[in-house]
Tab-separated table of all heavy atoms in Angstrom:
chain	number	residue	atom	x	y	z
A	29	HIS	N	123.912	-223.466	-59.711
A	29	HIS	CA	123.131	-223.684	-60.929
A	29	HIS	C	124.084	-224.044	-62.066
A	29	HIS	O	124.979	-223.264	-62.397
A	29	HIS	CB	122.322	-222.430	-61.268
A	29	HIS	CG	121.269	-222.119	-60.241
A	29	HIS	ND1	119.925	-222.284	-60.479
A	29	HIS	CD2	121.364	-221.675	-58.964
A	29	HIS	CE1	119.241	-221.950	-59.391
A	29	HIS	NE2	120.098	-221.581	-58.463
A	30	VAL	N	123.882	-225.223	-62.645
A	30	VAL	CA	124.835	-225.818	-63.578
A	30	VAL	C	124.255	-225.776	-64.988
A	30	VAL	O	123.179	-226.332	-65.255
A	30	VAL	CB	125.156	-227.270	-63.172
A	30	VAL	CG1	126.235	-227.846	-64.089
A	30	VAL	CG2	125.576	-227.355	-61.701
A	31	VAL	N	124.978	-225.125	-65.895
A	31	VAL	CA	124.457	-224.911	-67.252
A	31	VAL	C	125.635	-224.840	-68.219
A	31	VAL	O	126.745	-224.435	-67.844
A	31	VAL	CB	123.611	-223.610	-67.300
A	31	VAL	CG1	124.441	-222.375	-66.999
A	31	VAL	CG2	122.875	-223.463	-68.617
A	32	GLN	N	125.415	-225.253	-69.444
A	32	GLN	CA	126.451	-225.111	-70.458
A	32	GLN	C	126.657	-223.643	-70.815
A	32	GLN	O	125.698	-222.872	-70.911
A	32	GLN	CB	126.067	-225.906	-71.713
A	32	GLN	CG	126.127	-227.416	-71.550
A	32	GLN	CD	127.536	-227.975	-71.540
A	32	GLN	OE1	128.458	-227.424	-72.158
A	32	GLN	NE2	127.709	-229.101	-70.833
A	33	ARG	N	127.913	-223.270	-71.003
A	33	ARG	CA	128.259	-221.879	-71.323
A	33	ARG	C	127.553	-221.396	-72.590
A	33	ARG	O	127.034	-220.275	-72.630
A	33	ARG	CB	129.776	-221.757	-71.493
A	33	ARG	CG	130.241	-220.421	-72.042
A	33	ARG	CD	131.741	-220.304	-71.999
A	33	ARG	NE	132.166	-220.078	-70.620
A	33	ARG	CZ	133.153	-219.233	-70.282
A	33	ARG	NH1	133.800	-218.561	-71.211
A	33	ARG	NH2	133.485	-219.067	-69.022
A	34	ASP	N	127.513	-222.222	-73.617
A	34	ASP	CA	126.838	-221.822	-74.858
A	34	ASP	C	125.365	-221.504	-74.601
A	34	ASP	O	124.794	-220.606	-75.230
A	34	ASP	CB	126.911	-222.944	-75.899
A	34	ASP	CG	128.303	-223.125	-76.468
A	34	ASP	OD1	129.169	-222.257	-76.246
A	34	ASP	OD2	128.522	-224.153	-77.138
A	35	GLU	N	124.746	-222.237	-73.680
A	35	GLU	CA	123.322	-222.072	-73.440
A	35	GLU	C	123.011	-220.790	-72.694
A	35	GLU	O	122.086	-220.052	-73.047
A	35	GLU	CB	122.772	-223.276	-72.673
A	35	GLU	CG	121.275	-223.246	-72.453
A	35	GLU	CD	120.471	-223.339	-73.733
A	35	GLU	OE1	121.048	-223.590	-74.826
A	35	GLU	OE2	119.238	-223.158	-73.664
A	36	ILE	N	123.759	-220.491	-71.638
A	36	ILE	CA	123.438	-219.308	-70.844
A	36	ILE	C	123.656	-218.038	-71.661
A	36	ILE	O	122.884	-217.080	-71.560
A	36	ILE	CB	124.231	-219.300	-69.519
A	36	ILE	CG1	123.617	-218.276	-68.544
A	36	ILE	CG2	125.704	-219.047	-69.732
A	36	ILE	CD1	124.164	-218.380	-67.133
A	37	ARG	N	124.653	-218.039	-72.500
A	37	ARG	CA	124.886	-216.856	-73.330
A	37	ARG	C	123.800	-216.689	-74.397
A	37	ARG	O	123.306	-215.593	-74.630
A	37	ARG	CB	126.277	-216.928	-73.957
A	37	ARG	CG	127.352	-216.508	-72.968
A	37	ARG	CD	128.723	-217.078	-73.314
A	37	ARG	NE	129.742	-216.479	-72.466
A	37	ARG	CZ	129.883	-216.701	-71.161
A	37	ARG	NH1	129.038	-217.513	-70.543
A	37	ARG	NH2	130.839	-216.113	-70.465
A	38	TYR	N	123.432	-217.792	-75.025
A	38	TYR	CA	122.395	-217.715	-76.054
A	38	TYR	C	121.039	-217.354	-75.459
A	38	TYR	O	120.281	-216.573	-76.043
A	38	TYR	CB	122.308	-219.055	-76.782
A	38	TYR	CG	121.348	-219.054	-77.947
A	38	TYR	CD1	121.724	-218.540	-79.182
A	38	TYR	CD2	120.066	-219.579	-77.817
A	38	TYR	CE1	120.841	-218.535	-80.256
A	38	TYR	CE2	119.182	-219.586	-78.883
A	38	TYR	CZ	119.572	-219.062	-80.098
A	38	TYR	OH	118.697	-219.049	-81.154
A	39	ALA	N	120.739	-217.895	-74.283
A	39	ALA	CA	119.426	-217.663	-73.662
A	39	ALA	C	119.184	-216.193	-73.370
A	39	ALA	O	118.043	-215.713	-73.436
A	39	ALA	CB	119.304	-218.474	-72.372
A	40	LEU	N	120.237	-215.470	-73.027
A	40	LEU	CA	120.086	-214.065	-72.676
A	40	LEU	C	119.999	-213.158	-73.900
A	40	LEU	O	119.599	-211.991	-73.778
A	40	LEU	CB	121.244	-213.627	-71.773
A	40	LEU	CG	121.252	-214.322	-70.399
A	40	LEU	CD1	122.515	-213.963	-69.629
A	40	LEU	CD2	120.016	-213.988	-69.583
A	41	TRP	N	120.340	-213.659	-75.073
A	41	TRP	CA	120.146	-212.900	-76.314
A	41	TRP	C	119.912	-213.877	-77.464
A	41	TRP	O	120.753	-214.070	-78.331
A	41	TRP	CB	121.348	-211.992	-76.614
A	41	TRP	CG	121.002	-210.946	-77.629
A	41	TRP	CD1	121.230	-210.985	-78.974
A	41	TRP	CD2	120.313	-209.708	-77.386
A	41	TRP	NE1	120.736	-209.854	-79.587
A	41	TRP	CE2	120.175	-209.046	-78.637
A	41	TRP	CE3	119.797	-209.102	-76.246
A	41	TRP	CZ2	119.546	-207.803	-78.754
A	41	TRP	CZ3	119.177	-207.864	-76.375
A	41	TRP	CH2	119.061	-207.233	-77.613
A	42	PRO	N	118.741	-214.538	-77.466
A	42	PRO	CA	118.474	-215.563	-78.485
A	42	PRO	C	118.165	-214.938	-79.842
A	42	PRO	O	117.869	-213.742	-79.954
A	42	PRO	CB	117.249	-216.285	-77.933
A	42	PRO	CG	116.559	-215.260	-77.088
A	42	PRO	CD	117.637	-214.397	-76.504
A	43	ASP	N	118.230	-215.767	-80.861
A	43	ASP	CA	117.786	-215.335	-82.184
A	43	ASP	C	116.303	-214.990	-82.130
A	43	ASP	O	115.553	-215.503	-81.291
A	43	ASP	CB	118.002	-216.457	-83.205
A	43	ASP	CG	119.476	-216.737	-83.456
A	43	ASP	OD1	120.241	-215.772	-83.592
A	43	ASP	OD2	119.847	-217.927	-83.505
A	44	ALA	N	115.871	-214.153	-83.038
A	44	ALA	CA	114.488	-213.673	-83.015
A	44	ALA	C	113.487	-214.825	-83.084
A	44	ALA	O	112.453	-214.810	-82.397
A	44	ALA	CB	114.253	-212.702	-84.167
A	45	TRP	N	113.769	-215.852	-83.871
A	45	TRP	CA	112.786	-216.921	-84.066
A	45	TRP	C	112.727	-217.873	-82.879
A	45	TRP	O	111.733	-218.575	-82.700
A	45	TRP	CB	113.052	-217.659	-85.369
A	45	TRP	CG	114.293	-218.497	-85.381
A	45	TRP	CD1	115.570	-218.069	-85.616
A	45	TRP	CD2	114.384	-219.898	-85.160
A	45	TRP	NE1	116.449	-219.116	-85.543
A	45	TRP	CE2	115.743	-220.246	-85.273
A	45	TRP	CE3	113.458	-220.897	-84.886
A	45	TRP	CZ2	116.197	-221.559	-85.121
A	45	TRP	CZ3	113.912	-222.198	-84.722
A	45	TRP	CH2	115.264	-222.520	-84.840
A	46	THR	N	113.775	-217.950	-82.050
A	46	THR	CA	113.730	-218.781	-80.845
A	46	THR	C	113.390	-217.972	-79.595
A	46	THR	O	113.211	-218.545	-78.518
A	46	THR	CB	115.075	-219.495	-80.599
A	46	THR	OG1	116.105	-218.518	-80.447
A	46	THR	CG2	115.405	-220.428	-81.746
A	47	ARG	N	113.270	-216.670	-79.730
A	47	ARG	CA	113.051	-215.798	-78.568
A	47	ARG	C	111.820	-216.182	-77.741
A	47	ARG	O	111.856	-216.117	-76.510
A	47	ARG	CB	112.963	-214.338	-79.035
A	47	ARG	CG	113.069	-213.314	-77.913
A	47	ARG	CD	113.235	-211.921	-78.502
A	47	ARG	NE	114.476	-211.824	-79.263
A	47	ARG	CZ	114.685	-210.939	-80.247
A	47	ARG	NH1	113.723	-210.107	-80.592
A	47	ARG	NH2	115.848	-210.917	-80.876
A	48	PRO	N	110.693	-216.592	-78.360
A	48	PRO	CA	109.518	-216.906	-77.536
A	48	PRO	C	109.740	-218.021	-76.522
A	48	PRO	O	109.076	-218.047	-75.485
A	48	PRO	CB	108.460	-217.304	-78.575
A	48	PRO	CG	108.882	-216.621	-79.833
A	48	PRO	CD	110.371	-216.651	-79.804
A	49	VAL	N	110.642	-218.968	-76.782
A	49	VAL	CA	110.806	-220.096	-75.858
A	49	VAL	C	111.864	-219.840	-74.788
A	49	VAL	O	112.086	-220.692	-73.919
A	49	VAL	CB	111.103	-221.414	-76.615
A	49	VAL	CG1	109.884	-221.826	-77.422
A	49	VAL	CG2	112.333	-221.302	-77.498
A	50	TYR	N	112.505	-218.682	-74.819
A	50	TYR	CA	113.383	-218.245	-73.736
A	50	TYR	C	112.691	-217.095	-73.013
A	50	TYR	O	112.666	-215.961	-73.502
A	50	TYR	CB	114.736	-217.777	-74.281
A	50	TYR	CG	115.635	-218.890	-74.736
A	50	TYR	CD1	115.790	-219.178	-76.088
A	50	TYR	CD2	116.351	-219.663	-73.815
A	50	TYR	CE1	116.628	-220.204	-76.517
A	50	TYR	CE2	117.187	-220.689	-74.231
A	50	TYR	CZ	117.324	-220.952	-75.581
A	50	TYR	OH	118.153	-221.969	-75.994
A	51	CYS	N	112.097	-217.388	-71.867
A	51	CYS	CA	111.358	-216.371	-71.121
A	51	CYS	C	112.334	-215.566	-70.266
A	51	CYS	O	112.873	-216.078	-69.277
A	51	CYS	CB	110.301	-217.037	-70.243
A	51	CYS	SG	109.400	-215.865	-69.218
A	52	GLN	N	112.534	-214.308	-70.633
A	52	GLN	CA	113.511	-213.489	-69.909
A	52	GLN	C	113.095	-213.254	-68.458
A	52	GLN	O	113.949	-213.031	-67.587
A	52	GLN	CB	113.726	-212.165	-70.635
A	52	GLN	CG	114.308	-212.312	-72.033
A	52	GLN	CD	115.609	-213.112	-72.058
A	52	GLN	OE1	116.552	-212.783	-71.339
A	52	GLN	NE2	115.665	-214.158	-72.879
A	53	ASN	N	111.809	-213.351	-68.168
A	53	ASN	CA	111.369	-213.225	-66.776
A	53	ASN	C	111.904	-214.359	-65.901
A	53	ASN	O	112.098	-214.178	-64.694
A	53	ASN	CB	109.841	-213.184	-66.705
A	53	ASN	CG	109.274	-211.895	-67.239
A	53	ASN	OD1	109.789	-210.822	-66.965
A	53	ASN	ND2	108.211	-211.988	-68.029
A	54	ASP	N	112.134	-215.529	-66.494
A	54	ASP	CA	112.724	-216.632	-65.730
A	54	ASP	C	114.124	-216.305	-65.237
A	54	ASP	O	114.589	-216.883	-64.253
A	54	ASP	CB	112.799	-217.903	-66.585
A	54	ASP	CG	111.446	-218.547	-66.838
A	54	ASP	OD1	110.491	-218.265	-66.085
A	54	ASP	OD2	111.355	-219.340	-67.798
A	55	PHE	N	114.797	-215.383	-65.933
A	55	PHE	CA	116.201	-215.094	-65.646
A	55	PHE	C	116.390	-213.844	-64.797
A	55	PHE	O	117.497	-213.303	-64.710
A	55	PHE	CB	116.977	-214.925	-66.961
A	55	PHE	CG	116.746	-216.020	-67.969
A	55	PHE	CD1	116.648	-215.720	-69.322
A	55	PHE	CD2	116.615	-217.338	-67.565
A	55	PHE	CE1	116.433	-216.719	-70.257
A	55	PHE	CE2	116.393	-218.352	-68.499
A	55	PHE	CZ	116.303	-218.043	-69.844
A	56	GLN	N	115.335	-213.379	-64.136
A	56	GLN	CA	115.420	-212.111	-63.426
A	56	GLN	C	116.475	-212.113	-62.317
A	56	GLN	O	117.039	-211.064	-61.976
A	56	GLN	CB	114.050	-211.757	-62.835
A	56	GLN	CG	113.490	-212.788	-61.881
A	56	GLN	CD	112.056	-212.498	-61.484
A	56	GLN	OE1	111.741	-211.377	-61.104
A	56	GLN	NE2	111.179	-213.480	-61.599
A	57	ASP	N	116.776	-213.295	-61.764
A	57	ASP	CA	117.761	-213.386	-60.677
A	57	ASP	C	119.062	-214.047	-61.109
A	57	ASP	O	119.926	-214.319	-60.267
A	57	ASP	CB	117.171	-214.180	-59.507
A	57	ASP	CG	115.943	-213.506	-58.916
A	57	ASP	OD1	115.991	-212.271	-58.742
A	57	ASP	OD2	114.949	-214.199	-58.639
A	58	ILE	N	119.261	-214.265	-62.395
A	58	ILE	CA	120.357	-215.107	-62.853
A	58	ILE	C	121.727	-214.549	-62.484
A	58	ILE	O	122.672	-215.299	-62.202
A	58	ILE	CB	120.239	-215.365	-64.376
A	58	ILE	CG1	121.045	-216.601	-64.776
A	58	ILE	CG2	120.632	-214.135	-65.194
A	58	ILE	CD1	120.739	-217.104	-66.177
A	59	ARG	N	121.832	-213.237	-62.434
A	59	ARG	CA	123.143	-212.639	-62.135
A	59	ARG	C	123.471	-212.615	-60.647
A	59	ARG	O	124.582	-212.248	-60.258
A	59	ARG	CB	123.236	-211.248	-62.750
A	59	ARG	CG	123.362	-211.292	-64.272
A	59	ARG	CD	123.409	-209.926	-64.911
A	59	ARG	NE	123.702	-210.031	-66.333
A	59	ARG	CZ	122.806	-210.291	-67.279
A	59	ARG	NH1	121.536	-210.482	-66.939
A	59	ARG	NH2	123.169	-210.368	-68.553
A	60	THR	N	122.528	-213.002	-59.819
A	60	THR	CA	122.785	-213.095	-58.384
A	60	THR	C	123.012	-214.536	-57.941
A	60	THR	O	123.332	-214.777	-56.765
A	60	THR	CB	121.616	-212.498	-57.575
A	60	THR	OG1	120.460	-213.335	-57.703
A	60	THR	CG2	121.288	-211.096	-58.053
A	61	LEU	N	122.856	-215.494	-58.845
A	61	LEU	CA	122.983	-216.909	-58.506
A	61	LEU	C	124.419	-217.384	-58.667
A	61	LEU	O	125.222	-216.781	-59.398
A	61	LEU	CB	122.060	-217.743	-59.389
A	61	LEU	CG	120.564	-217.445	-59.282
A	61	LEU	CD1	119.795	-218.252	-60.321
A	61	LEU	CD2	120.043	-217.723	-57.888
């Protein structure tokens, strides 16, 4: 799975106003990939 470093870090702890568009349920397996 290929992603920019800035993106994966931000996605796991986004700013409050962008939080709705990062669904943490999508990332349930991210640490095993």
Side-chain angles (χ1 to χ4, degrees):
H29 295 251
V30 184
V31 63
Q32 290 285 330
R33 171 172 286 220
D34 289 348
E35 184 65 8
I36 195 169
R37 280 157 171 70
Y38 185 81
L40 294 173
W41 196 263
D43 292 316
W45 70 278
T46 60
R47 194 169 297 156
V49 293
Y50 286 103
C51 177
Q52 297 305 306
N53 289 317
D54 288 341
F55 311 141
Q56 58 189 311
D57 298 316
I58 200 167
R59 288 178 173 82
T60 69
L61 299 174

